[in-house]
């Protein structure tokens, strides 16, 4: 059951980050200032789903993987501090700042600088989480092979 909860929460987080990133790029390239402001507000509201999903994925992952020493597990453990720090120190503050600027129509150079940083940080987290999903699937395959050999 823990693995299903972990996988579901991780996939939800991964998809939400992808949606946030894609929505931002599309609104910046093709939308009006009002569209950008709407996307920024939606992203901020979406944090109420994203953050708990990532907390559940991270917490369950720590519990399930605390004794694992195989390469995929170790790789996931090494990536997690970067994902968390990037999220808490860059992405959340950037989302709050960008929404506050966009909501009053203040699209200046600082807005676009922070927007660029947010896009790079979001892409980094998306890639790192994708690698964690890949390694999680490898770990699942390893467990299934072990169970088949034991039977």
């Amino acid at each position: 059951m823990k693995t299903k909860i972990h996988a579901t929460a991780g996939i939800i987080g991964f998809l939400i980050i992808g949606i946030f990133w894609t929505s931002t790029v599309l609104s910046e390239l093709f939308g009006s200032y009002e569209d950008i402001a709407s996307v920024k507000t939606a992203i901020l509201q979406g944090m109420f789903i994203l953050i708990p999903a990532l907390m559940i994925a991270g917490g369950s992952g720590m519990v399930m993987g605390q004794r694992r020493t195989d390469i995929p597990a170790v790789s996931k453990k090494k990536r997690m501090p970067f994902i968390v720090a990037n999220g808490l120190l860059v992405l959340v503050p950037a989302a709050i700042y960008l929404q506050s600027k966009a909501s009053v129509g203040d699209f200046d150079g600082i807005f676009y600088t922070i927007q660029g940083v947010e896009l790079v940080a979001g892409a980094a987290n998306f890639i790192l989480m994708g690698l964690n999903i890949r390694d999680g699937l490898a770990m699942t395959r390893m467990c299934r092979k072990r169970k088949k050999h034991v039977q």
Side-chain angles (χ1 to χ4, degrees):
M1 186 65 163
K2 283 183 210 169
T3 56
K4 289 186 190 288
I5 291 169
H6 175 74
T8 301
I11 293 295
I12 289 169
F14 180 75
L15 292 175
I16 290 173
I17 289 172
I19 291 167
F20 285 179
W21 196 91
T22 304
S23 299
T24 295
V25 170
L26 292 175
S27 69
E28 291 287 349
L29 292 176
F30 305 112
S32 65
Y33 287 135
E34 292 80 20
D35 294 333
I36 296 168
S38 294
V39 166
K40 293 300 164 197
T41 298
I43 287 172
L44 209 52
Q45 293 168 345
M47 294 283 182
F48 290 102
I49 298 169
L50 176 62
I51 291 171
L54 295 179
M55 289 172 62
I56 291 166
S60 59
M62 284 194 306
V63 169
M64 292 185 309
Q66 66 192 71
R67 293 191 179 117
R68 291 189 70 137
T69 57
D70 51 280
I71 292 171
V74 171
S75 296
K76 286 179 73 154
K77 289 176 191 178
K78 286 182 180 177
R79 281 190 287 269
M80 283 312 299
F82 295 105
I83 293 169
V84 172
N86 192 17
L88 292 177
L89 301 176
V90 178
L91 293 170
V92 170
I96 294 167
Y97 178 79
L98 292 169
Q99 191 280 331
S100 70
K101 297 272 280 183
S103 68
V104 295
D106 191 2
F107 297 96
D108 58 5
I110 296 171
F111 176 90
Y112 286 106
T113 299
I114 300 298
Q115 181 63 83
V117 169
E118 183 190 48
L119 286 170
V120 169
N125 265 15
F126 190 73
I127 291 167
L128 292 171
M129 289 179 68
L131 293 171
N132 276 2
I133 290 168
R134 179 202 64 194
D135 288 344
L137 292 170
M139 292 164 62
T140 300
R141 284 190 297 274
M142 289 168 47
C143 286
R144 285 183 184 152
K145 283 182 184 177
R146 269 190 243 131
K147 286 181 183 177
K148 282 183 181 178
H149 290 299
V150 171
Q151 293 176 353

